[in-house]
PDB file of all heavy atoms in Angstrom:
ATOM      1  N   SER A  20      -6.975  -2.610  20.476  1.00  0.00           N
ATOM      2  CA  SER A  20      -7.561  -2.123  21.788  1.00  0.00           C
ATOM      3  C   SER A  20      -6.466  -2.069  22.681  1.00  0.00           C
ATOM      4  O   SER A  20      -5.352  -2.742  22.618  1.00  0.00           O
ATOM      5  CB  SER A  20      -8.662  -3.043  22.256  1.00  0.00           C
ATOM      6  OG  SER A  20      -8.149  -4.178  22.803  1.00  0.00           O
ATOM      7  N   PRO A  25       0.944  -5.308  23.755  1.00  0.00           N
ATOM      8  CA  PRO A  25       1.882  -5.884  24.767  1.00  0.00           C
ATOM      9  C   PRO A  25       2.725  -4.952  25.394  1.00  0.00           C
ATOM     10  O   PRO A  25       3.027  -3.789  24.920  1.00  0.00           O
ATOM     11  CB  PRO A  25       2.597  -6.963  23.983  1.00  0.00           C
ATOM     12  CG  PRO A  25       2.025  -6.939  22.563  1.00  0.00           C
ATOM     13  CD  PRO A  25       1.270  -5.625  22.420  1.00  0.00           C
ATOM     14  N   VAL A  33      17.278  -1.699  26.241  1.00  0.00           N
ATOM     15  CA  VAL A  33      18.456  -1.119  25.636  1.00  0.00           C
ATOM     16  C   VAL A  33      19.539  -0.970  26.698  1.00  0.00           C
ATOM     17  O   VAL A  33      20.711  -1.355  26.447  1.00  0.00           O
ATOM     18  CB  VAL A  33      18.124   0.254  24.861  1.00  0.00           C
ATOM     19  CG1 VAL A  33      19.466   0.896  24.486  1.00  0.00           C
ATOM     20  CG2 VAL A  33      17.150   0.147  23.830  1.00  0.00           C
ATOM     21  N   ALA A  34      19.202  -0.624  27.947  1.00  0.00           N
ATOM     22  CA  ALA A  34      20.168  -0.488  29.005  1.00  0.00           C
ATOM     23  C   ALA A  34      20.797  -1.860  29.314  1.00  0.00           C
ATOM     24  O   ALA A  34      22.040  -1.950  29.516  1.00  0.00           O
ATOM     25  CB  ALA A  34      19.489  -0.022  30.320  1.00  0.00           C
ATOM     26  N   ALA A 101      32.007   3.228  19.385  1.00  0.00           N
ATOM     27  CA  ALA A 101      31.329   2.868  18.054  1.00  0.00           C
ATOM     28  C   ALA A 101      32.370   3.132  16.884  1.00  0.00           C
ATOM     29  O   ALA A 101      32.754   2.374  15.962  1.00  0.00           O
ATOM     30  CB  ALA A 101      30.027   3.614  17.756  1.00  0.00           C
ATOM     31  N   MET A 123      28.839  -6.063   6.705  1.00  0.00           N
ATOM     32  CA  MET A 123      29.941  -5.497   7.426  1.00  0.00           C
ATOM     33  C   MET A 123      30.005  -3.915   7.299  1.00  0.00           C
ATOM     34  O   MET A 123      30.311  -3.365   8.362  1.00  0.00           O
ATOM     35  CB  MET A 123      31.241  -6.184   6.729  1.00  0.00           C
ATOM     36  CG  MET A 123      31.328  -7.676   7.038  1.00  0.00           C
ATOM     37  SD  MET A 123      33.018  -8.165   6.632  1.00  0.00           S
ATOM     38  CE  MET A 123      32.860  -8.289   4.887  1.00  0.00           C
ATOM     39  N   LEU A 124      29.741  -3.394   6.263  1.00  0.00           N
ATOM     40  CA  LEU A 124      30.080  -1.893   6.090  1.00  0.00           C
ATOM     41  C   LEU A 124      28.904  -1.051   6.328  1.00  0.00           C
ATOM     42  O   LEU A 124      29.026   0.125   6.760  1.00  0.00           O
ATOM     43  CB  LEU A 124      30.732  -1.738   4.599  1.00  0.00           C
ATOM     44  CG  LEU A 124      32.172  -2.064   4.506  1.00  0.00           C
ATOM     45  CD1 LEU A 124      32.988  -1.429   5.722  1.00  0.00           C
ATOM     46  CD2 LEU A 124      32.573  -3.496   4.404  1.00  0.00           C
ATOM     47  N   ARG A 156      28.012 -11.303 -11.954  1.00  0.00           N
ATOM     48  CA  ARG A 156      28.259 -11.678 -13.448  1.00  0.00           C
ATOM     49  C   ARG A 156      26.890 -11.553 -14.163  1.00  0.00           C
ATOM     50  O   ARG A 156      25.809 -12.165 -13.755  1.00  0.00           O
ATOM     51  CB  ARG A 156      28.711 -13.238 -13.465  1.00  0.00           C
ATOM     52  CG  ARG A 156      30.188 -13.465 -13.464  1.00  0.00           C
ATOM     53  CD  ARG A 156      30.429 -14.873 -13.585  1.00  0.00           C
ATOM     54  NE  ARG A 156      30.424 -15.496 -14.901  1.00  0.00           N
ATOM     55  CZ  ARG A 156      31.254 -15.331 -15.837  1.00  0.00           C
ATOM     56  NH1 ARG A 156      32.477 -14.739 -15.576  1.00  0.00           N
ATOM     57  NH2 ARG A 156      31.239 -15.870 -17.051  1.00  0.00           N
ATOM     58  N   ALA A 239      22.570 -21.011 -15.994  1.00  0.00           N
ATOM     59  CA  ALA A 239      21.510 -22.011 -15.634  1.00  0.00           C
ATOM     60  C   ALA A 239      21.600 -22.501 -14.182  1.00  0.00           C
ATOM     61  O   ALA A 239      22.704 -22.622 -13.664  1.00  0.00           O
ATOM     62  CB  ALA A 239      21.697 -23.256 -16.571  1.00  0.00           C
ATOM     63  N   ASP A 252      14.534 -29.266   0.876  1.00  0.00           N
ATOM     64  CA  ASP A 252      13.244 -28.703   0.624  1.00  0.00           C
ATOM     65  C   ASP A 252      12.538 -28.176   1.823  1.00  0.00           C
ATOM     66  O   ASP A 252      11.421 -27.979   1.830  1.00  0.00           O
ATOM     67  CB  ASP A 252      12.410 -29.810  -0.064  1.00  0.00           C
ATOM     68  CG  ASP A 252      12.368 -31.015   0.806  1.00  0.00           C
ATOM     69  OD1 ASP A 252      12.987 -31.127   1.827  1.00  0.00           O
ATOM     70  OD2 ASP A 252      11.689 -31.969   0.432  1.00  0.00           O
ATOM     71  N   ILE A 263      12.371 -11.886   3.868  1.00  0.00           N
ATOM     72  CA  ILE A 263      11.345 -10.865   4.283  1.00  0.00           C
ATOM     73  C   ILE A 263      11.897  -9.456   4.332  1.00  0.00           C
ATOM     74  O   ILE A 263      11.476  -8.481   3.848  1.00  0.00           O
ATOM     75  CB  ILE A 263      10.701 -11.202   5.625  1.00  0.00           C
ATOM     76  CG1 ILE A 263      10.033 -12.673   5.440  1.00  0.00           C
ATOM     77  CG2 ILE A 263       9.588 -10.261   5.891  1.00  0.00           C
ATOM     78  CD1 ILE A 263       9.521 -13.213   6.864  1.00  0.00           C
ATOM     79  N   ALA A 272      13.280   1.151  -1.010  1.00  0.00           N
ATOM     80  CA  ALA A 272      14.421   1.736  -1.803  1.00  0.00           C
ATOM     81  C   ALA A 272      13.956   2.113  -3.250  1.00  0.00           C
ATOM     82  O   ALA A 272      14.309   3.073  -3.804  1.00  0.00           O
ATOM     83  CB  ALA A 272      15.668   0.994  -1.813  1.00  0.00           C
ATOM     84  N   ASP A 314      15.372 -20.308  17.075  1.00  0.00           N
ATOM     85  CA  ASP A 314      16.339 -19.269  16.646  1.00  0.00           C
ATOM     86  C   ASP A 314      15.673 -17.857  16.874  1.00  0.00           C
ATOM     87  O   ASP A 314      14.950 -17.340  15.979  1.00  0.00           O
ATOM     88  CB  ASP A 314      16.747 -19.390  15.144  1.00  0.00           C
ATOM     89  CG  ASP A 314      17.758 -18.377  14.786  1.00  0.00           C
ATOM     90  OD1 ASP A 314      18.279 -17.648  15.699  1.00  0.00           O
ATOM     91  OD2 ASP A 314      17.988 -18.191  13.576  1.00  0.00           O
ATOM     92  N   ALA A 317      16.291 -15.026  14.337  1.00  0.00           N
ATOM     93  CA  ALA A 317      15.287 -14.895  13.156  1.00  0.00           C
ATOM     94  C   ALA A 317      14.179 -14.038  13.590  1.00  0.00           C
ATOM     95  O   ALA A 317      13.617 -13.288  12.832  1.00  0.00           O
ATOM     96  CB  ALA A 317      14.927 -16.376  12.826  1.00  0.00           C
ATOM     97  N   CYS A 322      11.004  -9.159  13.139  1.00  0.00           N
ATOM     98  CA  CYS A 322      10.429  -7.962  13.791  1.00  0.00           C
ATOM     99  C   CYS A 322      10.689  -6.707  13.205  1.00  0.00           C
ATOM    100  O   CYS A 322       9.866  -5.870  12.943  1.00  0.00           O
ATOM    101  CB  CYS A 322      10.856  -8.038  15.339  1.00  0.00           C
ATOM    102  SG  CYS A 322      10.153  -6.812  16.326  1.00  0.00           S
ATOM    103  N   SER A 359      17.577 -11.801  28.749  1.00  0.00           N
ATOM    104  CA  SER A 359      18.211 -12.044  30.108  1.00  0.00           C
ATOM    105  C   SER A 359      19.285 -10.988  30.483  1.00  0.00           C
ATOM    106  O   SER A 359      19.914 -10.599  29.446  1.00  0.00           O
ATOM    107  CB  SER A 359      18.910 -13.361  30.185  1.00  0.00           C
ATOM    108  OG  SER A 359      19.728 -13.530  31.342  1.00  0.00           O
ATOM    109  N   LEU A 368      19.708 -11.536  24.272  1.00  0.00           N
ATOM    110  CA  LEU A 368      18.789 -12.425  23.512  1.00  0.00           C
ATOM    111  C   LEU A 368      19.249 -13.852  23.644  1.00  0.00           C
ATOM    112  O   LEU A 368      20.312 -14.224  23.207  1.00  0.00           O
ATOM    113  CB  LEU A 368      18.644 -12.010  22.105  1.00  0.00           C
ATOM    114  CG  LEU A 368      17.576 -12.646  21.339  1.00  0.00           C
ATOM    115  CD1 LEU A 368      16.182 -12.305  21.945  1.00  0.00           C
ATOM    116  CD2 LEU A 368      17.461 -11.991  19.850  1.00  0.00           C
ATOM    117  N   TYR A 370      18.559 -18.292  23.206  1.00  0.00           N
ATOM    118  CA  TYR A 370      17.914 -19.259  22.440  1.00  0.00           C
ATOM    119  C   TYR A 370      18.047 -18.839  20.901  1.00  0.00           C
ATOM    120  O   TYR A 370      17.006 -18.771  20.173  1.00  0.00           O
ATOM    121  CB  TYR A 370      16.464 -19.671  22.831  1.00  0.00           C
ATOM    122  CG  TYR A 370      16.455 -19.981  24.292  1.00  0.00           C
ATOM    123  CD1 TYR A 370      15.775 -19.225  25.281  1.00  0.00           C
ATOM    124  CD2 TYR A 370      16.905 -21.338  24.704  1.00  0.00           C
ATOM    125  CE1 TYR A 370      15.843 -19.729  26.508  1.00  0.00           C
ATOM    126  CE2 TYR A 370      16.948 -21.685  25.958  1.00  0.00           C
ATOM    127  CZ  TYR A 370      16.288 -20.936  26.880  1.00  0.00           C
ATOM    128  OH  TYR A 370      16.379 -21.298  28.197  1.00  0.00           O
ATOM    129  N   ALA A 372      20.042 -19.789  17.188  1.00  0.00           N
ATOM    130  CA  ALA A 372      20.764 -20.973  16.534  1.00  0.00           C
ATOM    131  C   ALA A 372      21.419 -20.562  15.262  1.00  0.00           C
ATOM    132  O   ALA A 372      20.821 -19.865  14.333  1.00  0.00           O
ATOM    133  CB  ALA A 372      19.708 -22.015  16.193  1.00  0.00           C
ATOM    134  N   TYR A 394      19.871  -6.890  15.824  1.00  0.00           N
ATOM    135  CA  TYR A 394      18.411  -6.596  15.245  1.00  0.00           C
ATOM    136  C   TYR A 394      17.369  -6.329  16.425  1.00  0.00           C
ATOM    137  O   TYR A 394      16.504  -5.677  16.084  1.00  0.00           O
ATOM    138  CB  TYR A 394      18.043  -7.817  14.436  1.00  0.00           C
ATOM    139  CG  TYR A 394      18.850  -7.781  13.076  1.00  0.00           C
ATOM    140  CD1 TYR A 394      19.896  -8.790  12.875  1.00  0.00           C
ATOM    141  CD2 TYR A 394      18.515  -6.784  12.139  1.00  0.00           C
ATOM    142  CE1 TYR A 394      20.592  -8.668  11.604  1.00  0.00           C
ATOM    143  CE2 TYR A 394      19.272  -6.772  10.960  1.00  0.00           C
ATOM    144  CZ  TYR A 394      20.251  -7.689  10.677  1.00  0.00           C
ATOM    145  OH  TYR A 394      21.019  -7.561   9.529  1.00  0.00           O
TER     146      TYR A 394
END
Side-chain angles (χ1 to χ4, degrees):
S20 78
V33 174
M123 292 192 279
L124 280 311
R156 270 180 79 83
D252 58 356
I263 300 167
D314 181 13
C322 184
S359 168
L368 192 58
Y370 303 110
Y394 287 106

